[in-house]
Amino acid sequence: MAETQHEIVSVLTEARVFPPPEAFSRRAHLRSMEDYQRLWDEAARNPDKYWGDRAREELYWKEPFQTVLDWKPPHARWFVEGRTNLAYNCLDRHLATRRDKPAILFEGEPGDRRSVTYGELSVEVNRLANGLKSLGIKKGDRVGIYLPMVPEAVVAMLACARIGAVHSVVFGGFSAEALQERMNDAGARVVLTADGGWRKGAVVPLLKNVEQALKNMPTVEKVVVARRTSTDAPALPGPRYVAWDALVKGQSDVCEPEWVESEHPLFILYTSGSTGKPKGVLHTTAGFAVNASLTTRWVFDLREDDVYWCTADVGWVTGHSYVVYGPLMNGVTTIVYEGAPTHPGPARFWDIIERYKATILYTAPTAIRAFMRLGDDIPRQKDLSSLRLLGSVGEPINPEAWMWYRDVIGQGRCPVVDTWWQTETGSIMISPLPGATPTKPGSATLPLPGIHAEILDRQGNTVPRGQGGLLFITRPWPSMLRTVYGDPERYTRTYFSELPGKYFTGDGARTDADGYFWLMGRVDDVVNVAGHRLGTAEVESALVAHPRVSEAAVVGRPDDLKGTALVAFVTLKNGNAPSAELKKELAQHVSKEIGAIARPDEIRFAEGLPKTRSGKIMRRLLRDVAAGKKSSQDTTTLEDLNVLAALQQNEE
Ligand code: 6R9
């Protein structure tokens, strides 16, 4: 079930416990396990009251809600009858007291810097919102966002929210094909992009990709192009393009917020599942906002003077909840950094922390492991004394990396919060509360108040503590996904058919004697490569789309740095011979179809793939082959044992 055998052994024997530092607890929002338990019990006893109170505290409501939850499994509606607007909650609400406070401290990869105050951000958002309206965008229309990590990405999301348009952000590292597929599925009317973005000293050709994708994006009427990498105004490739600057020029600073109903869609974010086609996870307005706002404050223990840095790209859900909506709803200052973590040198992250006196750092285990490999000296030469809290997200963090993060980056002073959640959950579900929860390296600890996480078997029985099982969320929560866009049946099938009425996460986990959760990785065909979620089936579809490929099976192999590396087993069509060039060509082909993040780390040519008699590829067996393990799998259903023997010999 879990990917890395040695990690499982190490977490099973992990006995270290770190109580919250006293000085931290004294000033925290939640200060003790009694605080936590009291809230948890309250929420369990009377969820309507608990969530109703939270919703009134977290948001400005134009019109109050009457019904906290309408739950007709698997469909939930939260805070029904209420009306609000998230741009208003992120901006206008703060203007009386925080107009001149930096909302965004931006640093571009080449080193350019920009501070954007709440007042300035509000003006930019309103102008773009009016600009979008001038293009005919109205409430409910879908707008694609394909931008680098620059302030414009935040402006774009909030401008959509302001007018009730539904944003769909596509990660700038995705290819033209991936963009096209997502925009067509969403039916986007406008795409907001830039001429390019900086990554590892080179330009990511965003506009070129859009140009290519636009040949087959019939619903897209206009492309708005921001300037980022060109020195002059970017050359517009045709009449469907409009310059961002020209669009906002002369627009009014005032744009009345569209007061949308609680369940109005806020965004669609595509994520990988176990089939070839990515799922458009749909989140709605109020429920998402309540959880994003609350968890940002509690889990990161936000204070007015914090300089908060979540390193995620807005192309992922972490960027949505913890770069944009959560921090801005809380009126905090957040760092936005455009580029690669080690460009131009290995100390870039630590330079940024030193320069802006960041107090909170939230990043991914894959980055932590990469820094760990570069050695302790690099961060030790920088002043990291401003840090007071460290967070981790995206994949299981092995205890070794957790300890390094705590000792070297946090200098033993900062609590570490390992936060478990998903695109579908919208916000953090299982995590320490840093002033209250004693932490254990490698454990996400306990579900937040109001979250009912349980480890069950496929029949719905509770799995005893200490044993691995499937992680379910057994009661609805405000920021849960509402559907898979355009495919409601897939929503029910993927998340609520394992056990009716209970949300299936796709993750395996176990609890220990204290009830702490230890996540063990995906149990489906989703893999986590360097913290990026990928469906092996997506990579397979890309491979078989190549004219020389007959069949492909892609599996994960444990990797010290990336967590999981991708290994592709490929059979070729008759008349094609395996070669090193072809391997390169196939890897290149996957980059083009999906993006560089999906590029296989290893491609192995095979005469045949191991299959069951019913014709199913035996992926578990391939996982063992990829990891160089003698298979413990039952091979009695294997069609042709010679195929397996050949694969094992074929290891280079
Ligand atoms: C937020 C995000 C979700 C999958 C999830 C799980 C893995 C995320 C984790 C973690 C162990 C953590 N995951 N956080 N595993 N410990 N703290 O990453 O969303 O991209 O949808 O990925 O990531 O496997 O199911 P998303």
Side-chain angles (χ1 to χ4, degrees), residues 18-32 35 296-303 306 359-361 386-391 406 410 412-417 432-439:
F18 296 93
E22 216 172 288
F24 191 101
S25 292
R26 225 177 299 129
R27 300 181 59 188
H29 291 293
L30 289 123
R31 300 177 183 186
S32 66
D35 281 356
T296 311
R297 194 168 59 263
W298 279 3
V299 173
F300 302 110
D301 192 48
L302 288 185
R303 289 212 291 258
D306 270 320
T359 55
I360 298 167
L361 174 66
S386 57
L387 286 172
R388 63 182 198 92
L389 178 69
L390 302 173
R406 182 181 186 279
R413 179 185 70 239
C414 308
V416 174
V417 290
L433 293 163
T437 319
T439 52

Side-chain angles (χ1 to χ4, degrees), residues 604-608 625 641-651:
R604 291 201 191 180
F605 292 116
E607 284 295 319
V625 174
L641 274 168
N642 292 327
V643 166
L644 179 61
L647 283 174
Q648 280 165 339
Q649 265 161 28
N650 185 15
E651 285 162 28

Side-chain angles (χ1 to χ4, degrees), residues 338-413:
E338 176 187 31
T342 50
H343 188 88
R348 185 63 183 264
F349 263 32
W350 320 125
D351 279 335
I352 292 174
I353 289 169
E354 187 178 86
R355 184 154 36 250
Y356 301 100
K357 300 195 169 34
T359 55
I360 298 167
L361 174 66
Y362 188 33
T363 194
T366 186
I368 298 166
R369 288 191 299 264
F371 292 132
M372 198 171 152
R373 190 174 271 197
L374 291 167
D376 301 7
D377 284 354
I378 294 161
R380 286 219 161 107
Q381 284 161 8
K382 302 290 164 180
D383 181 5
L384 304 182
S385 61
S386 57
L387 286 172
R388 63 182 198 92
L389 178 69
L390 302 173
S392 170
V393 61
E395 54 183 315
I397 178 163
N398 43 311
E400 292 70 20
W402 194 100
M403 286 304 299
W404 185 86
Y405 198 28
R406 182 181 186 279
D407 289 344
V408 179
I409 304 307
Q411 298 162 346
R413 179 185 70 239

Side-chain angles (χ1 to χ4, degrees), residues 271 317-318 392-396 418-424 505 507 519 522 528 533:
T271 190
V317 73
T318 307
S392 170
V393 61
E395 54 183 315
D418 172 9
T419 63
W420 178 89
W421 61 295
Q422 308 176 297
T423 305
E424 293 87 341
T505 63
D507 277 13
L519 277 302
R522 302 286 307 196
N528 224 310
R533 181 171 158 181

Side-chain angles (χ1 to χ4, degrees), residues 331-343:
V332 81
T333 296
T334 145
I335 296 175
V336 169
Y337 168 59
E338 176 187 31
T342 50
H343 188 88

